[in-house]
Amino acid sequence: MNFNKPEKKELLFLMFTGCMIGILCFALVYGFKIVDVTYNGWLFHGDMDLRQHYVGFCHYRLSPWRFPVGIIDTLSKPYSMSVVYTDSIPLFAVFFKLFSGVLPESFQYFGLFGLICFSLMGALSPVLIRRFSGSKLLCLLGSLFFILSFPVLHRMFYHTALSAQWIIVLALIIWLYTDITDKSQLKKICIYWALIGVLSVSIHSYFVFMTGIVLLLQICDGILRTHKKGTKFYKDLWMAFPLLSMGVSSFILLYILGGFYGSGSVSGDGFGSFYANLSAYVNPLHFSSLFKGFENNGMFEFEGFSYLGIGMIILLIVMTMYETAVHIRDKHLGKNATVSLSNPDENSGNICKLTYAVIIAFIIIVLLFSCFPNYSFGSVKLISIPVPKFITRILGICRTNARFVWIGMYLFYVIAFSLVAKHFSKIWVKLLVAFAIIIQLFEMSGIVKQYHQKYSEDKVFETVWTQLEDENVIDGKDEFVFMYDYNDIMMDTAYYAYLHKMSQNSFYYARTIYDEIDATIEEWSGEFLKGNLDSSVVYVFRNEDYTKEYDEVVKNKNANKYELPEHIVITVDK
């Protein structure tokens, strides 16, 4: 069996077939109803974050073109913010804004993006597995583990941009199909990683750090494999040039999109709250039909959900035990057939012991960083490490560090399929793979059924403001002003504002401008209490914040007072 680089025709076959499998899986899980770009009702019956992503695009498409190109002007007036921080998938947001004038008012691309993610994961995962095995059957069967990986299902229509985990697989392909120890390939490798940086920022900036970890893995693997005793490590640092190219390309695109614009910051508050659990790889939470997951210790530890699945766990355990037994036997007989994983010209399909060690070390490091600074296994808290504020400000760039645990999950996949590939000619290994897939699919059958039913139903959305339309509350108004800073009806109001070409003063972003928004609310409140009410504004109060002082002003100014559930709305006639 030839394990050298496959021919283009073979790769195209694997990619096309895998793509079709991905599309079929998407249809089975979600159906195609949500792919209809004019159907947006379903977006408002999901998580609040999903509304944020959609409404962010809605307001972005109405904002005038200017530099930086990703600026939204109407969600936190008078402050602008980049579409990067509404997680609206900048690549799609910018592209479809070009055609905003001809697109329907209710246009959405999130269902389409989900379909593309499934198809790309299906196209790329067989290419990754082909690096270890010449068996097309194994490549295509193995793609099911990637396409239907648990964190992808979890994120798909929750943090939709983060379901594009095919970018991580693409980064693994670059590592395994290029030889960073070969200086003649350096220019090509630098270009590849620069493109990965651009692609990551254009979808979700967290992928810059995740794929950057894969690049660090490639660099460390290359240096450790080629380093000679007695020489200085710095002589091998030329292998780090791809890291520079990736960093520069990511920075430039983030700047173009407005990631550094205005008072917004790439560093966010909350680092130390969004960490993973040490049980992340074995805890299914509520996603398993075979056994109930166990409770986590922290509120946001679900952010690190990266369950391998019982099928994959069985595959890993059995193949690791068998490989260990074979290794002990071969060592006893004086055999050593393994060579480097990262050198396509010499590869026989196996991973050398050093590369295995580097992969396992990275899995451990990534897991420890993802759980930092609070380490728990399930509901049992083990240790909490105090972190100085200046450290949290630095690490706030990737404040939800729990998500980095996904890298370890895909590295476990690499280990599993590299071991399976070595012995796939044996009938018992083929049966093991088939059994693992059946178990994996059965385990997720419950959540798949639940998702299919949820996204196949017709959903109609009406904002909280619909009930006031007969009273002409909005007529002649230009802006909603929230007299408080809390995300309750903010998203619904923002969509209504989009439909009526209005703006608002407060919105929830991935990177906050709380101080600025609070300052404007305080200013609006001060003017209101002075009796300076703006006739172009719709003032929104929560019941608990609406004081007697406000009510006295309303009565004295003969202003209009309306009621919404748990809210009071004030307007004045022109």
Side-chain angles (χ1 to χ4, degrees), residues 527-543:
E527 290 298 313
F528 193 102
L529 292 173
K530 291 177 184 178
N532 299 326
L533 277 62
D534 191 332
S535 61
S536 67
V537 166
V538 179
Y539 297 92
V540 186
F541 295 84
R542 289 187 300 180
N543 286 351

Side-chain angles (χ1 to χ4, degrees), residues 136-252:
K136 295 183 180 68
L137 177 62
L138 177 60
C139 294
L140 295 174
L141 287 177
S143 69
L144 289 169
F145 286 99
F146 290 84
I147 297 167
L148 296 171
S149 67
F150 283 92
V152 169
L153 294 178
H154 176 224
R155 292 288 172 171
M156 180 54 69
F157 297 120
Y158 162 39
H159 288 147
T160 303
L162 289 172
S163 63
Q165 294 176 28
W166 52 268
I167 299 176
I168 300 173
V169 175
L170 182 58
L172 291 169
I173 289 172
I174 293 175
W175 165 39
L176 298 175
Y177 275 82
T178 60
D179 184 8
I180 201 168
T181 66
D182 183 357
K183 287 187 177 181
S184 66
Q185 293 191 41
L186 183 61
K187 181 179 179 181
K188 176 179 68 175
I189 294 173
C190 284
I191 292 173
Y192 287 161
W193 284 108
L195 293 174
I196 286 288
V198 168
L199 185 61
S200 298
V201 171
S202 69
I203 294 176
H204 198 293
S205 296
Y206 267 84
F207 286 120
V208 175
F209 301 102
M210 295 182 195
T211 54
I213 289 172
V214 178
L215 174 53
L216 286 175
L217 173 58
Q218 182 181 25
I219 293 169
C220 291
D221 181 38
I223 290 176
L224 291 174
R225 285 190 293 104
T226 59
H227 182 71
K228 297 179 181 178
K229 290 184 178 180
T231 61
K232 303 293 184 181
F233 266 98
Y234 66 81
K235 292 186 177 180
D236 296 321
L237 289 181
W238 58 269
M239 295 186 198
F241 275 108
L243 193 62
L244 178 63
S245 69
M246 181 182 181
V248 170
S249 67
S250 302
F251 181 89
I252 291 174

